[in-house]
Amino acid sequence: MEKAKSKACCTLDLNTEEQTRMIHISKALGNPIRFEILKFLLTHPGCITGDIVKYLPIAQATTSQHLKVLKECRLIEGEIEGTKSCYWLNEQTLLWYKSKIAEIF
Amino acid sequence: MEKAKSKACCTLDLNTEEQTRMIHISKALGNPIRFEILKFLLTHPGCITGDIVKYLPIAQATTSQHLKVLKECRLIEGEIEGTKSCYWLNEQTLLWYKSKIAEIF
DNA sequence: ATATTATATCGTATAAATACGATATAAAGG
DNA sequence: CCTTTATATCGTATTTATACGATATAATAT
């Protein structure tokens, strides 16, 4: 059985890169641990990994992995200070996401 | 090794149900096929499952599964009309998500 | 130099998501 | 009544996500 993709008469024209970015950010937001990290950073900007690890009910390795996901989609930014890593929300990304969601839907 | 969850001094107080809903909606948005379905419904409100199936590069069963996910988090609404099913975006959910995201972040 | 501390990454087990074909269901048409 | 059509659900294979302990890395302290 072959599947021919029919072109819709009037599909929404959204930049592919932008759409991919929207989906990545949504996926990152769609996990309870990562959502909790973002909320924590909201009230504790510039805190270190250790603070987040202490706050969360999961292992250090897993927390680090989640931070990586959030960094990759640029929802957060990090900076190494000596042996520690500080993290903040990336306001620009949040603004972009909010405005894009509002623009599309 | 025991893990004691330390209470942060000033965590963001967000209703648990609302947060769970935010996460579910975000997760639903965080998939390329589902994102495509939502975009399609934006330009084709009230269309039937078959239209969406024709438009997407995936099987009917998989499409139906994705529609179920979107229905479950109330991003879309459906109505059975004879042997067909019509679908629309749920504007209320979209409005709620946008305003809540803006409120939190 | 060595030990400690903070964090990231590796390897891997388990769980969840995604995909498909086959089948069930239920309305509509012959 | 039987057939067709549209869709949903079942069973299941495969992929991706999530979790952990162990280890690597790199700065700081002793």
Side-chain angles (χ1 to χ4, degrees):
Chain A
M1 194 74 78
E2 263 302 306
K3 186 81 196 298
K5 176 169 169 174
S6 74
K7 256 228 148 60
C9 62
C10 50
T11 44
L12 181 75
D13 186 33
L14 176 63
N15 182 295
T16 311
E17 265 180 56
E18 289 189 325
Q19 178 165 328
T20 304
R21 187 151 151 70
M22 286 300 293
I23 291 164
H24 282 159
I25 294 171
S26 299
K27 192 181 280 187
L29 288 170
N31 171 283
I33 294 287
R34 285 193 294 266
F35 204 90
E36 215 55 61
I37 292 173
L38 293 173
K39 273 182 18 184
F40 189 80
L41 288 178
L42 205 55
T43 49
H44 302 77
C47 76
I48 63 167
T49 308
D51 298 331
I52 302 170
V53 171
K54 261 185 281 175
Y55 178 62
L56 295 175
I58 57 168
Q60 178 268 319
T62 312
T63 303
S64 206
Q65 228 170 234
H66 281 302
L67 286 168
K68 194 182 180 187
V69 172
L70 292 170
K71 256 186 290 177
E72 274 165 1
C73 72
R74 286 180 281 159
L75 271 168
I76 65 171
E77 282 182 291
E79 196 178 284
I80 296 163
E81 265 183 40
T83 168
K84 301 176 180 182
S85 279
C86 306
Y87 288 103
W88 310 266
L89 293 180
N90 184 329
E91 296 295 342
Q92 266 202 307
T93 299
L94 286 166
L95 279 171
W96 182 82
Y97 183 75
K98 287 184 284 185
S99 76
K100 212 70 199 171
I101 274 277
E103 186 188 316
I104 301 167
F105 301 107
Chain B
M1 193 74 80
E2 263 302 306
K3 189 79 198 298
K5 177 171 170 173
S6 72
K7 255 225 150 61
C9 63
C10 51
T11 44
L12 181 75
D13 187 34
L14 175 63
N15 182 296
T16 311
E17 263 180 58
E18 288 189 327
Q19 177 164 328
T20 304
R21 186 150 150 70
M22 286 300 293
I23 291 165
H24 281 158
I25 294 171
S26 299
K27 191 181 280 186
L29 289 170
N31 171 283
I33 295 288
R34 285 194 294 266
F35 204 90
E36 215 54 61
I37 292 174
L38 293 174
K39 274 183 14 185
F40 188 80
L41 288 179
L42 206 55
T43 48
H44 302 76
C47 75
I48 63 167
T49 307
D51 297 331
I52 302 170
V53 171
K54 262 184 280 174
Y55 178 62
L56 296 175
I58 57 167
Q60 178 268 321
T62 312
T63 303
S64 206
Q65 232 171 231
H66 281 302
L67 286 169
K68 194 183 180 186
V69 172
L70 292 170
K71 257 185 290 175
E72 274 165 0
C73 72
R74 286 180 280 158
L75 271 168
I76 66 170
E77 281 181 293
E79 197 179 283
I80 297 163
E81 266 182 41
T83 169
K84 301 175 180 183
S85 280
C86 307
Y87 288 104
W88 310 266
L89 293 180
N90 184 330
E91 295 296 342
Q92 265 203 307
T93 299
L94 286 166
L95 279 171
W96 181 82
Y97 183 75
K98 287 184 283 186
S99 76
K100 211 72 200 170
I101 274 278
E103 184 188 318
I104 301 168
F105 300 109

